[in-house]
Amino acid sequence: MIQSSELILNPDGSVYHLNLKPEHIAQNIIFVGDQNRVEKITQFFDSIEFSTQKREFKTQTGIYKGKRMTVMSTGIGPDNIDIVINELDALVNIDLETRKPKEELTSLNIIRIGTSGSLQADIPVDSFVMSIFGLGLDNMLRSYLIDEISNQNIENEFITHTNWDARKGRPYVIACSESLQRIIKSPQMHEGITATAGGFYGPQGRILRLNIQDENLNSKMDNFTTNNTRITNLEMETAAIYGLGKLLGHQCLSLNAIIANRASGTFSEDPYQAVDALIAYTLDKLANS
């Protein structure tokens, strides 16, 4: 039995941070970072059956073209992903009354729709990127046993290429869900490795008043290639989603609308339009799968 200090429930029986019960979520779940983006997706739903919010975690579940879906805001960063995916898994794979894992496990389909900055000059603002791999620079997933799911060959190549400082911890590389990749894939969508940082400023190479450990890291990532696959963009959630999802048996895919190009120094003139286009595309692909 899982102790109450390890799996914390609210007085109404919902999981602690998300404020959800098992009946509140669908098998198909869309992640967004910003809580205000949840309704930008669910406005297209035919109906909404459930809505709640606790802290930055806002959830709405409803029907889109006959398919039940949940949209949830995760907030920013790998630490929030640790909370969200573990509690979602508990909702479907742990009996919350007996506090025991279920014998028959459920696999969720989790698709992140986010915004990101491109590291490549030829991946312009307002384009879409599908993350074939997540490259974690954040260390969160290293609290778990990940050797069997991580691509250590790419990790070693990246460490050598960047002359990575071991004091920052070992980067990890996790692949996306092949089944979701087949469903969402499009000839117009860029594909590559998405780097996941543990912060927005120094960890992503931004310098304000503090010097950073490696001022050249972004340029090193720009020209890293493995098996003809480049690092396309840099954000704060993808690798953590892929890692925890794979460990727990869920199907995960991360999609990004590119709103900034770090190589050219440009920013989208209408980032909301780019995100809306990616939302519409993803919803239709899921509804028809």
Side-chain angles (χ1 to χ4, degrees):
M1 185 177 75
I2 301 171
Q3 298 298 314
S4 58
S5 60
E6 311 307 292
L7 175 58
I8 304 170
L9 302 179
N10 295 310
D12 66 354
S14 62
V15 289
Y16 182 64
H17 295 92
L18 302 185
N19 215 34
L20 297 173
K21 296 180 180 180
E23 61 268 24
H24 294 153
I25 63 169
Q27 187 171 7
N28 294 293
I29 299 177
I30 295 174
F31 281 176
V32 295
D34 184 357
Q35 56 196 347
N36 294 321
R37 199 175 295 152
V38 171
E39 291 180 349
K40 290 183 180 297
I41 296 179
T42 59
Q43 67 176 325
F44 298 108
F45 282 17
D46 303 318
S47 61
I48 296 174
E49 66 184 61
F50 174 80
S51 181
T52 192
Q53 180 170 359
K54 184 177 181 182
R55 304 185 187 185
E56 62 266 53
F57 308 114
K58 181 172 183 176
T59 304
Q60 291 191 330
T61 296
I63 304 296
Y64 177 80
K65 293 186 176 180
K67 181 159 287 191
R68 190 169 184 252
M69 300 185 193
T70 293
V71 183
M72 174 182 297
S73 61
T74 65
I76 299 174
D79 51 342
N80 275 20
I81 296 302
D82 183 56
I83 290 171
V84 171
I85 292 192
N86 273 293
E87 292 194 6
L88 281 176
D89 181 76
L91 288 172
V92 296
N93 289 323
I94 296 174
D95 186 317
L96 300 184
E97 293 186 3
T98 65
R99 293 181 168 273
K100 294 181 180 179
K102 297 179 180 178
E103 292 186 5
E104 185 174 337
L105 300 179
T106 296
S107 180
L108 299 171
N109 294 321
I110 298 171
I111 296 184
R112 176 184 182 271
I113 298 179
T115 56
S116 184
S118 168
L119 294 177
Q120 304 293 340
D122 62 340
I123 300 180
V125 295
D126 302 327
S127 62
F128 302 154
V129 168
M130 176 187 291
S131 307
I132 304 304
F133 291 99
L135 166 63
L137 310 176
D138 58 280
N139 273 336
M140 184 280 288
L141 205 67
R142 290 289 176 192
S143 295
Y144 300 93
L145 303 174
I146 68 170
D147 286 350
E148 291 187 2
I149 65 163
S150 65
N151 190 316
Q152 296 179 50
N153 289 333
I154 298 180
E155 292 170 7
N156 290 333
E157 291 176 26
F158 179 79
I159 289 167
T160 299
H161 177 82
T162 59
N163 192 27
W164 185 262
D165 189 334
R167 292 174 296 180
K168 294 194 292 186
R170 180 181 173 88
Y172 59 91
V173 175
I174 313 292
C176 72
S177 161
E178 293 182 2
S179 60
L180 287 180
Q181 181 186 0
R182 287 192 294 269
I183 291 170
I184 303 298
K185 191 176 180 71
S186 162
Q188 289 76 40
M189 192 171 287
H190 298 274
E191 296 181 356
I193 301 170
T194 293
T196 296
F200 184 78
Y201 289 96
Q204 294 191 35
R206 292 182 172 92
I207 300 174
L208 302 184
R209 291 203 313 117
L210 296 176
N211 292 329
I212 59 177
Q213 183 271 327
D214 186 352
E215 294 184 9
N216 298 314
L217 180 59
N218 279 13
S219 63
K220 293 175 185 176
M221 291 197 293
D222 291 348
N223 54 42
F224 175 75
T225 302
T226 177
N227 294 325
N228 297 316
T229 303
R230 303 176 297 172
I231 298 176
T232 49
N233 59 315
L234 180 59
E235 47 82 271
M236 295 181 64
E237 289 83 31
T238 293
I241 293 170
Y242 284 8
L244 286 173
K246 198 169 290 284
L247 287 171
L248 291 166
H250 304 297
Q251 305 300 312
C252 299
L253 186 67
S254 179
L255 307 173
N256 279 281
I258 297 300
I259 62 170
N261 187 293
R262 300 290 296 278
S264 63
T266 55
F267 193 84
S268 173
E269 294 183 2
D270 191 350
Y272 299 108
Q273 183 178 13
V275 173
D276 286 348
L278 182 56
I279 288 169
Y281 174 85
T282 305
L283 284 175
D284 283 339
K285 286 289 188 179
L286 278 177
N288 294 320
S289 64

